Structures are given as C-alpha cells and as structure tokens.
Amino acid sequence: MMDFISDIQNYVFLQKALFTSIMVGIICGVIGCFIILRGMALMGDAISHAVLPGIAVSYMLGINYLYGAVFTGLLTSVGIGFISQNSRVKNDSSIGIVFSSFFALGIILIAKAKSTIDLTSILFGNVLSVRSSDMWMTLIIGTIVLLVVILFYKELLVSTFDPTFAASYGLPNRLIHYVLMILLTLVTVASLQTVGVILVVAMLITPASTAYLLTNRLSVMIVLSAAFGAFSAIIGLYFSFEHNLSSGAVIVLVTTVLFLIAFVFAPKQGIYWRSVRIRKNRNGVITRKKESFE
Amino acid sequence: MTYQVEVRNLSVSYDGENVLSTINFNVDGGKLIGIIGPNGAGKSTLMKAILELIHRDHGEVLVDGKPMKDVRKKVAYVPQRAAIDWDFPITVLKTVLLGTYPQVGIFRRPGKSEKRWALECLQKVGMDQFANRQIGELSGGQQQRVFLARALAQKANIFFLDEPFVGIDVTSEALIIGILKELRDGGDSVFVVHHDLSKVEDYFDELLLLNKELIAFGPVARVMQSEYLRTAYHSQYGVWDALGVVR
C-alpha cells in the first residue's frame, strides 16, 4: 500500500487515473440512487450500451464523442418509451430490443470508423490511459451532475417517490425523466475510461443498493452511495495497478464485496440480524410460555 | 355565478374506448362529496381527469372560475395507498413535508417554519410520535393518516382522496372522516372515491354516482334511490338491496 502511495506521488498518469475514478465513483453513486429508486436499473444498462454507436459516429464526423453519446443515449430512452407505450410489448422487452440493436450497430460502426479507437477499451475501460482532456471532461460532467442534483433535489425526490402527487401540483415528470436520462448518458460517457460501457451499470446500481440497505433517508443514501463508489474506485485501482488486472472489473468487484457485507450485516435489512431477531422473538415466545406454565 | 368546482362535458377514453363520457356537475364550497360506483366505473379516472393527471378528450374543469393549471396550489390530492412505494427511503415527517413543496417553490428548501407546520399537521392526525419512522414501518391506517397530513400541509381548499378507507383500521377511519368533516365545516370541498355503500349516509353530504357516465348527483338521500343504484350497479344491485342500504 505504501508503494502505491509513493507511486501516486511519482506518476502523473496514476494521479489522473485516481482522480478520474474517484469522480466516476461519486457521480455514478449519486445518479444510481435515483435510477434504482425509480426501478430503472435495466434502463441504465440499456443507455450505457447504447452510447456505442454515438461514439463511433462522433469519431467519423470528427466531433467530441460526448455529443454522439448523448444523442444515441436519448434516442434509446425515447425509443424504449415509444415501443412500450404503443404496443403490448412490455417495458423490459422493449429495453432489450432497443439497446441490443444500438449496441450491435455500434460494434459495426466502430469497426468501420477505422480510427485509433479500440473497441476493447470502450467496452472494458482502461483507466491507466486517462488523458488530461478526459480528466477535465469527467470533472465538468461531475460538476454538472452534482449541481443539477443539488439544485433540483426536492423535485427529483418528489417525482421519484410519488409522481402522481408531483404532477398534481404541476411538476413536469416527463421533463424530469429526460433530464435524468441526459445525466445518465453523461455519467456513462464519463465512466468509459474507468469501467467501460459494459460494467457502468454495476457502478450505478451496486453502491446505491448497498446504501439503500443501510438508511431510511434519501439524502444519507446519496452520500453513502457516493462514498461507496469513491472507495471502490480507490481500492479497485490499487489492486488493478499492483496486480495488473482490468481496472473496471476490479472496481466493480469491490462494490460487490461492499454490497455483500451490507446484505448480510446491515442493522435493519441484513439477513444476519434479521435471523437473530427472528430467533430472539421465537425464544422470547417460548420463555413467556414457560413462565406462564410455571 | 361561479362555483368552487365546475366540471363541464368531461370525457376520457383509453385506446378509443370511452371510460367517462360527458360528465357535468357543479360543487359549492363546504361539501363532503362521495364518488361512488361499481368497479371499473371510472371513479379514480374522474378524479385524475379533474386534476389533469391524465389526458381528457373533451371538457374543462374550473376552480373558482379559473382553469386547473392556474389554481393547483389550492388543490390537494391523496393517491391510493397501492400507488406508493412503501420501501422508499423517506421518514414520516419528510413525507408530510412534501406537502409544503408547492408553496416553497423551485430552488428553495423548506425551512424551520415549514418543518414546524409539517409536525403540526402530523399532530392533527395523531401521528407525531412516529415522525422519524420510515413510512413502510406503519400500519395501513397510519400510512393513510400520514398522507392526509401531507394534504393538510398543502393548505389547500379542495381535497381529493382516492379510496382512503381501503384496508385500514376503524380508529384511523373515524379519525380521517372527522378531519374531513372539519375541513368541510371550514368551507372546503372534499371529494372522496369510495366503494362501500353502507356508510355513505354517515360520511357524505352529496354523492356522485358514476358508471362511465354520471348517473346521479345530489344529496345522499336523493341519490341512494333504487332506480339510480339499479342503473349504476346492474347485477350487483341485489347485494346492496339485501344489505338494506337502498332507500
């Protein structure tokens, strides 16, 4: 661990990698809370995959890949909504249809783009190759995401918890939904280098779910989720650097370990304490019965 | 003259099928109104259409002579209990605090005075000792009381409650109807979607009997006549008759 710290002091590429992955951990954690509470985990998976053709087309046109990614990301969420509202096809099926089509299209377009971009690094990330420009983009995206969540926290909370009530006093639920979809696409793009398209969904869902098991307050859940995301990024980066493993995969496995700990030991929701409470309760009933006999 | 609530030619359809056709009625302030009718009569739909929560084909709704979108702050809505995610990470007090959001407006956070007001509303429904509980830890009746407290926190003049008495205990039901009557006595209009005909005489001043169209509207005694109920309930009519509900 000491070596790792001195390496961070010595190597700029490692500093960039660390900063970027912490930022990604935080914003994925924050947006992830809203994604899981809205029951949109699959949608998060879909949008992260669907940015692929957008990135390819951006390279062909020579523009920043952010624009293409946001465009195809939004197109996916609109397309999914359109199919499930205008046919009997259920929501999860239309998510499956739309995102796999976009992903397939992306694979072909990336190959056709014949540029320096490498499909593997988009799919799985390569955090040690983060450039300064990527780092700045992550910082800007992170700032935008955090600002929107802080400014509209109230509105996000109420439209997530009770959308009918929100609509009854005039909140534009549909607009809020698409703003969240834009943020989700931005977060995906920011995460490309760190964990890659395929594993972004884990960064969105796992830390948020861990936090969900530990608290009854949304504000606390968001802070915890961001902390778990950042912590996983640091530990994951350490292991991937020391043992030469894929950074995205290691970071995701760290989030999984945190989740499993919460799943078993969370004070109220954890299966361990639950079984303890049930046993206590049962024994309590037996002792009370014994006492009443005596 | 202008009424507190005016509903004109309201029609709603799903997939080209009429769910509600040409509903007309006017309501003055200070009335507690039950919306009744068989399953699938469009009771909840009527409520949602009045509140512009769903698309309406025709018709308009005026509150004090103004369209709904200009008077949203005067209106409070309590959704069906089944529509709520009870595992959501939110406490009882925070839930009631949501009722102050329309007044607080965008970019501002509810402050101390809002929190005090929310706690007062919780006291009114006898739930203040549960303020820091997560909403899923409450019984059905307690949950319904919390959502009534949220509606009270909105400081509205017109209240819409969708099936508030389904699956709740007797104490909560009595407490809720007591508060609704207080609101009525203060000059507010209270609309309640309800499906149990046995208590309508004790609960409501007026009834809106619905089955895809408006069958009857007026004082309870006048609406609870066999001919209207037979039209609205068809085959189920015999059950209510046997229970001695019909006049």
Side-chain angles (χ1 to χ4, degrees):
Chain A
M1 197 73 195
M2 289 314 289
D3 291 348
F4 183 59
I5 292 169
S6 72
D7 282 342
I8 289 172
Q9 282 162 346
N10 292 331
Y11 300 114
V12 178
F13 79 93
L14 203 54
Q15 289 166 9
K16 286 179 192 163
L18 186 69
F19 180 82
T20 310
S21 21
I22 290 175
M23 201 68 201
V24 164
I26 292 172
I27 56 179
C28 280
V30 171
I31 289 300
C33 287
F34 293 102
I35 299 300
I36 68 160
L37 290 173
R38 287 171 166 251
M40 285 174 35
L42 265 180
M43 193 73 157
D45 200 17
I47 288 188
S48 58
H49 281 72
V51 300
L52 197 58
I55 292 168
V57 172
S58 302
Y59 274 106
M60 289 174 179
L61 298 175
I63 55 175
N64 190 321
Y65 59 85
L66 191 61
Y67 301 115
V70 170
F71 178 74
T72 47
L74 271 183
L75 202 62
T76 312
S77 70
V78 173
I80 290 166
F82 186 80
I83 290 181
S84 56
Q85 273 157 32
N86 292 294
S87 73
R88 63 194 286 182
V89 175
K90 291 201 172 64
N91 199 43
D92 57 340
S93 304
S94 60
I95 287 175
I97 294 167
V98 174
F99 99 80
S100 47
S101 320
F102 272 76
F103 194 58
L105 186 66
I107 293 171
I108 291 173
L109 287 178
I110 291 271
K112 286 276 170 210
K114 282 191 191 127
S115 71
T116 49
I117 46 165
D118 157 30
L119 185 61
T120 331
S121 76
I122 293 179
L123 294 186
F124 301 109
N126 185 4
V127 75
L128 297 179
S129 69
V130 168
R131 292 166 301 174
S132 294
S133 60
D134 298 322
M135 190 180 77
W136 289 118
M137 192 177 72
T138 306
L139 183 64
I140 292 167
I141 289 177
T143 314
I144 294 172
V145 169
L146 294 180
L147 263 183
V148 172
V149 171
I150 290 168
L151 284 177
F152 297 101
Y153 175 76
K154 226 163 80 255
E155 287 67 31
L156 282 168
L157 162 64
V158 71
S159 83
T160 303
F161 172 53
D162 191 350
T164 334
F165 169 73
S168 80
Y169 79 89
L171 278 194
N173 280 327
R174 193 182 286 256
L175 179 69
I176 293 173
H177 171 82
Y178 284 116
V179 167
L180 209 56
M181 291 302 102
I182 292 176
L183 295 182
L184 185 58
T185 323
L186 290 177
V187 167
T188 306
V189 172
S191 314
L192 284 182
Q193 299 266 336
T194 321
V195 285
V197 160
I198 294 189
L199 290 177
V200 174
V201 68
M203 290 302 285
L204 289 165
I205 296 170
T206 315
S209 300
T210 311
Y212 181 60
L213 291 178
L214 294 172
T215 176
N216 284 330
R217 280 159 207 271
L218 178 61
S219 49
V220 179
M221 177 177 162
I222 292 173
V223 172
L224 280 180
S225 174
F228 292 148
F231 177 76
S232 309
I234 298 168
I235 301 298
L237 191 64
Y238 166 71
F239 278 110
S240 87
F241 182 69
E242 291 293 302
H243 304 286
N244 197 22
L245 301 164
S246 156
S247 60
V250 182
I251 291 172
V252 167
L253 285 180
V254 177
T255 66
T256 311
V257 169
L258 291 180
F259 174 78
L260 288 176
I261 293 172
F263 180 68
V264 177
F265 294 111
K268 270 189 178 168
Q269 306 290 335
I271 51 173
Y272 173 72
W273 293 115
R274 258 202 206 154
S275 74
V276 167
R277 273 199 303 277
I278 291 170
R279 217 173 309 138
K280 243 188 198 166
N281 201 4
R282 200 183 295 144
N283 292 342
V285 172
I286 294 169
T287 4
R288 277 199 294 281
K289 268 192 181 153
K290 268 188 190 156
E291 279 164 6
S292 66
F293 277 122
E294 279 159 12
Chain B
M1 75 169 279
T2 54
Y3 292 91
Q4 191 167 31
V5 180
E6 243 175 288
V7 174
R8 291 187 194 154
N9 293 321
L10 188 69
S11 297
V12 178
S13 63
Y14 284 134
D15 278 338
E17 209 168 301
N18 270 342
V19 185
L20 290 173
S21 27
T22 49
I23 310 284
N24 280 290
F25 65 90
N26 303 319
V27 172
D28 263 334
K31 288 275 160 48
L32 183 45
I33 300 138
I35 300 176
I36 56 168
N39 287 335
K43 303 186 291 283
S44 297
T45 307
L46 174 64
M47 206 167 249
K48 286 182 180 156
I50 291 175
L51 289 161
E52 290 184 345
L53 296 175
I54 52 172
H55 176 78
R56 37 169 114 117
D57 300 345
H58 305 285
E60 55 178 348
V61 175
L62 299 175
V63 173
D64 293 328
K66 293 178 204 123
M68 183 56 81
K69 66 177 189 329
D70 299 336
V71 290
R72 288 201 177 278
K73 285 181 187 169
K74 290 186 177 179
V75 175
Y77 171 63
V78 179
Q80 279 183 28
R81 218 148 47 76
I84 301 295
D85 171 13
W86 297 103
D87 289 328
F88 199 90
I90 192 168
T91 61
V92 167
L93 185 62
K94 279 275 164 62
T95 307
V96 178
L97 203 57
L98 299 182
T100 67
Y101 282 14
Q103 303 282 346
V104 169
I106 209 158
F107 294 130
R108 280 191 53 225
R109 293 280 164 87
K112 270 198 179 132
S113 64
E114 278 86 9
K115 277 178 194 152
R116 213 176 307 126
W117 170 238
L119 199 60
E120 245 174 75
C121 294
L122 259 187
Q123 276 160 358
K124 233 176 255 178
V125 299
M127 287 295 294
D128 44 317
Q129 70 271 36
F130 297 94
N132 291 319
R133 292 278 189 90
Q134 193 267 335
I135 51 167
E137 297 169 14
L138 308 178
S139 75
Q142 291 172 328
Q143 290 173 340
Q144 197 67 58
R145 278 147 72 179
V146 170
F147 273 73
L148 177 62
R150 182 179 76 178
L152 295 176
Q154 288 181 263
K155 299 184 178 167
N157 305 114
I158 306 168
F159 292 82
F160 292 89
L161 294 88
D162 199 348
E163 300 264 20
F165 303 124
V166 168
I168 76 171
D169 56 291
V170 191
T171 325
S172 296
E173 183 160 344
L175 188 137
I176 290 171
I177 199 74
I179 289 173
L180 297 182
K181 282 180 176 168
E182 259 175 54
L183 290 170
R184 172 207 52 200
D185 296 339
D188 298 338
S189 298
V190 183
F191 292 85
V192 179
V193 169
H194 192 60
H195 71 266
D196 177 10
L197 292 186
S198 59
K199 287 176 186 159
V200 290
E201 306 239 356
D202 303 330
Y203 283 5
F204 305 115
D205 306 317
E206 304 206 328
L207 286 181
L208 220 149
L209 179 59
L210 206 63
N211 193 356
K212 302 202 167 163
E213 47 190 38
L214 188 60
I215 311 278
F217 173 59
V220 176
R222 207 165 59 80
V223 174
M224 290 302 281
Q225 284 173 26
S226 55
E227 54 194 298
Y228 293 137
L229 292 175
R230 209 191 299 267
T231 317
Y233 283 89
H234 307 296
S235 55
Q236 287 173 44
Y237 169 78
V239 180
W240 295 115
D241 196 20
L243 287 171
V245 170
V246 184
R247 298 214 147 212

